[in-house]
Amino acid sequence: MNDFRQKFPFLVQLEACHFVGLYKKLYQIRLHFPDYPTTNNHRVSVFCGNVPVTLDPEVSSIKEVDEFVQKLIDSLDSGREGRPTSKPCSTGEPSTTLTNLALELLSIQRQYGCEVVFDKHIMHVEFSNFDGRRNHSLTLNRTGAELFKVAQHTLPELAVSELFKRQTTLQRHVQVFLDLLDQLEEFYNNLNTIDDLCYVVLPATIDTKTVYRIFKYDRKVFLKVSLHPLQPAAIDVGFFGPTKQVSKLREIYDERQDDWDADCNVYTNLLRIFNVIAFPMRPAANHEKSQQLGSELGENSCGICMNYQDGYDRVPVISCDNEQCNLIFHIHCLKEWFATQRESKKIFTISIGNCPYCTHKISSSFDEMLVLLS
């Protein structure tokens, strides 16, 4: 059956041995071969526009399905088919709605070069692997005769409008989806550049819906860059690390925001603002291996639990102000450590305690940092 579909790619399989197709944008073909690969008990009809046409008797007598279909399209090419008839050449056809939807799916597949998967009654349709947009997919559920609504998608929620959520046709849903992807090109280019050129620590799993990146500025300082998908100029930068270093970097960023160049990407602008040649990069190309290597060497592991990631896939981002102390900690681990120490205290939202190793003072707003990390 796979060989058959590859040989005749204009056909869409509705169910086992049941196909519809639009040949040369002119002929609607409906095929049913219950005894495949033979044509025994077959049902076939061909329409030119809305006008049914009769089959050449020579085609009808062929016993092998592949040869039958090849002969059929050869006869359509030669013009031997197409004589009007008063009624369809077969009975038991699929409903007009299902046929129209299948043909529309075939048209979308050809127009946008995507993969299309759907169930027997076309109640659930998934589009994926669009040309040039391999990471994106769109899933629709049918709500009416030829109306669908979005069930799942790979777009950031901030980019989704009410128009995108409305019930409408297959073609309209796909067009709106691809129009949004065009608008998101700058957004994705900015994030991809950061992913390629920075040591990104969060999110643990990068997908097409996430709008932020947390990456290393140096050994103990991290930047969080959040982007608005549809507003390239709406950029928010947060800082994690020792108090003095973070305060200095925040001051530099606030002073130089007016130097932001709209013609440059986010990565280049951040280099210019902080006057650095580059941000730290991963020591290895493979994300998981580099995390494992860092954990084994102890360079990036939490100084309390000795793990790189905690139970929430968060990494160590908090450290003390002692420049001689190189340890960093998970927020939850340090929060629990503070809770066991008598000298620890909390003033408003700021928790104050001692580093578990060098006993230097550490002050942090754990709750605010957890929000920033989420």
Side-chain angles (χ1 to χ4, degrees):
M1 191 68 72
N2 287 334
D3 291 340
F4 177 77
R5 290 198 298 266
Q6 291 177 4
K7 187 174 181 180
F8 306 106
F10 64 90
L11 293 174
V12 175
Q13 186 172 2
L14 290 177
E15 53 187 280
C17 304
H18 194 172
F19 302 86
V20 298
L22 183 64
Y23 184 62
K24 290 192 171 180
K25 299 183 179 180
L26 179 63
Y27 295 101
Q28 297 181 31
I29 302 175
R30 306 172 185 176
L31 308 170
H32 188 214
F33 299 112
D35 297 323
Y36 181 90
T38 73
T39 59
N40 295 337
N41 302 312
H42 74 274
R43 298 195 302 274
V44 176
S45 62
V46 180
F47 291 80
C48 181
N50 293 321
V51 180
V53 297
T54 55
L55 296 178
D56 189 318
E58 182 181 349
V59 175
S60 301
S61 63
I62 297 174
K63 296 300 182 182
E64 295 294 328
V65 168
D66 286 37
E67 184 183 353
F68 178 98
V69 177
Q70 186 61 57
K71 192 70 175 180
L72 172 62
I73 61 177
D74 287 345
S75 64
L76 293 175
D77 288 337
S78 66
R80 283 181 288 170
E81 302 289 2
R83 298 188 300 272
T85 183
S86 59
K87 58 183 178 180
C89 307
S90 61
T91 59
E93 294 297 324
S95 70
T96 302
T97 297
L98 286 181
T99 302
N100 291 340
L101 289 175
L103 293 172
E104 187 175 4
L105 288 171
L106 180 60
S107 175
I108 291 171
Q109 185 180 40
R110 288 182 169 182
Q111 182 177 355
Y112 300 112
C114 59
E115 294 182 7
V116 182
V117 178
F118 52 90
D119 61 359
K120 178 178 178 180
H121 299 292
I122 315 184
M123 298 300 296
H124 183 83
V125 182
E126 180 178 351
F127 301 94
S128 61
N129 288 332
F130 294 91
D131 283 344
R133 300 177 172 99
R134 297 294 177 183
N135 295 328
H136 286 279
S137 63
L138 174 67
T139 302
L140 304 175
N141 287 338
R142 186 146 66 102
T143 58
E146 297 184 16
L147 295 179
F148 290 78
K149 67 177 181 179
V150 175
Q152 290 181 317
H153 61 84
T154 54
L155 301 176
E157 292 302 327
L158 287 174
V160 176
S161 63
E162 288 301 318
L163 176 64
F164 183 70
K165 298 177 181 179
R166 291 177 184 172
Q167 298 182 54
T168 186
T169 62
L170 289 166
Q171 181 71 37
R172 181 58 178 161
H173 270 303
V174 173
Q175 187 60 59
V176 171
F177 180 73
L178 294 178
D179 287 346
L180 280 171
L181 282 178
D182 288 339
Q183 297 176 50
L184 293 171
E185 183 176 1
E186 182 176 353
F187 165 76
Y188 283 123
N189 285 342
N190 276 316
L191 289 181
N192 289 338
T193 301
I194 292 174
D195 293 336
D196 292 340
L197 300 179
C198 298
Y199 195 146
V200 176
V201 298
L202 286 175
T205 302
I206 292 174
D207 58 32
T208 57
K209 299 172 79 76
T210 309
V211 299
Y212 76 93
R213 296 291 187 268
I214 297 178
F215 58 92
K216 284 190 173 187
Y217 178 85
D218 60 23
R219 174 72 179 84
K220 298 171 70 173
V221 177
F222 300 82
L223 300 186
K224 178 181 181 180
V225 175
S226 301
L227 309 178
H228 193 290
L230 298 177
Q231 300 174 22
I235 299 166
D236 182 63
V237 179
F239 304 87
F240 305 91
T243 306
K244 291 181 180 179
Q245 289 178 263
V246 165
S247 296
K248 182 179 180 181
L249 289 174
R250 186 176 288 114
E251 182 180 349
I252 292 173
Y253 180 75
D254 291 341
E255 288 178 353
R256 298 181 182 175
Q257 280 195 64
D258 292 339
D259 296 334
W260 194 278
D261 187 348
D263 294 330
C264 296
N265 62 24
V266 170
Y267 176 82
T268 301
N269 272 299
L270 290 175
L271 293 180
R272 292 173 64 248
I273 285 177
F274 295 116
N275 194 27
V276 294
I277 297 176
F279 296 112
M281 296 179 64
R282 286 193 173 277
N286 185 284
H287 181 77
E288 293 181 359
K289 286 184 179 179
S290 62
Q291 283 189 356
Q292 182 180 1
L293 178 61
S295 179
E296 290 173 352
L297 296 177
E299 294 178 354
N300 300 311
S301 301
C302 173
I304 296 175
C305 73
M306 302 302 174
N307 294 318
Y308 180 70
Q309 291 183 325
D310 64 11
Y312 302 93
D313 290 332
R314 288 189 286 254
V315 300
V317 296
I318 191 168
S319 56
C320 69
D321 291 336
N322 182 0
E323 296 180 359
Q324 304 303 315
C325 180
N326 291 322
L327 295 178
I328 53 177
F329 310 98
H330 291 126
I331 296 174
H332 272 297
C333 291
L334 193 61
K335 187 176 182 181
E336 291 178 359
W337 168 262
F338 279 10
T340 65
Q341 306 302 303
R342 287 186 177 181
E343 60 271 22
S344 299
K345 56 186 176 180
K346 187 173 184 178
I347 302 176
F348 298 107
T349 62
I350 305 298
S351 297
I352 302 173
N354 295 329
C355 174
Y357 288 86
C358 71
T359 69
H360 196 281
K361 289 291 184 182
I362 301 178
S363 60
S364 178
S365 177
F366 294 127
D367 293 337
E368 289 182 7
M369 292 188 71
L370 289 171
V371 170
L372 284 172
L373 286 173
S374 62

